[in-house]
Amino acid sequence: MSGDFSDPAELAAFCTVCGAKKLRGPRSATEEAARILGWRVQVRQILSGEGAFCPGPLPQGFCEPSPRQVYPLLEAVFGLPAADFSAWYCETSHKLRHEQGRLLGVLADGSIVSTAGIYHQNGSAALISSVATAPAHRGRGYAAALVGSLAADAQKSGRIPFVICQNPAALHVYRQLGFLPWGEEWLCLREECPP
């Protein structure tokens, strides 16, 4: 669920009745609903890339992987449930087929070890998300190269690239690439939801 809510108590009751697992909204309503529900609050930084991006060299193994190749990495890094693959695959492959998204990756040892993608875009903005690198392959600049390439491509098509970040190390990378603070996203989540 997402949107503006004027009555956090009514919102909390609605979430309980309908079985919602995640709530996105303005800070005041989200914090109060989380308190009532006993859910945890998560704040993520939204960054905008309105400056010029000059992507660096692409790493060896750079590719445009299929959603099927990417999901095992997202599952391992973000703790995504295997049961969510079918719905994610349908949505992601549809967007790729209709040129509404793009996946990039780095292939090493027969599997994708780093990925980033544009999963949501419209005529003026592109959201770069699901940026992940396998722990054994971090610190090599893979994520920066992939995000920089996606941001530059978004700008070439007349879109402003955005990223949403909650990881301090990733925030540092995004700022080095030229992303600037734009706002915050407030979420409250049931405990069984992955972070």
Side-chain angles (χ1 to χ4, degrees):
M1 295 186 61
S2 63
D4 289 328
F5 311 104
S6 59
D7 186 348
E10 182 179 338
L11 175 62
F14 180 79
C15 288
T16 301
V17 170
C18 75
K21 295 180 180 180
K22 184 186 296 185
L23 175 66
R24 178 181 294 123
R27 178 181 183 173
S28 60
T30 304
E31 281 185 315
E32 181 62 14
R35 185 190 64 71
I36 294 167
L37 291 163
W39 292 4
R40 66 186 169 90
V41 174
Q42 184 180 84
V43 181
R44 303 191 295 186
Q45 300 298 307
I46 303 171
L47 297 117
S48 166
E50 297 187 50
F53 282 89
C54 299
L58 296 173
Q60 184 176 344
F62 172 80
C63 62
E64 293 195 37
S66 72
R68 191 173 302 281
Q69 291 174 293
V70 166
Y71 197 79
L73 178 62
L74 299 179
E75 188 177 15
V77 171
F78 299 124
L80 300 179
D84 288 357
F85 172 73
S86 295
W88 179 87
Y89 179 83
C90 289
E91 180 181 351
T92 302
S93 62
H94 176 81
K95 288 178 180 179
L96 296 175
R97 279 193 313 276
H98 294 281
E99 298 180 0
Q100 292 300 308
R102 185 166 184 220
L103 289 178
L104 298 182
V106 176
L107 183 66
D109 304 320
S111 63
I112 298 299
V113 298
S114 186
T115 186
I118 294 176
Y119 289 87
H120 306 285
Q121 66 182 357
N122 60 28
S124 59
L127 177 60
I128 299 169
S129 62
S130 296
V131 179
T133 302
H137 294 270
R138 291 180 182 159
R140 300 178 189 185
Y142 293 164
L146 298 177
V147 170
S149 180
L150 289 168
D153 288 350
Q155 287 182 329
K156 285 178 193 170
S157 67
R159 294 177 175 94
I160 298 170
F162 287 87
V163 293
I164 298 175
C165 179
Q166 67 188 40
N167 176 327
L171 185 61
H172 178 72
V173 170
Y174 297 145
R175 286 186 172 170
Q176 282 187 322
L177 286 170
F179 284 92
L180 301 171
W182 186 82
E184 293 180 329
E185 178 185 52
W186 285 78
L187 300 142
C188 67
L189 306 128
R190 284 171 65 173
E191 285 306 313
E192 67 263 31
C193 292

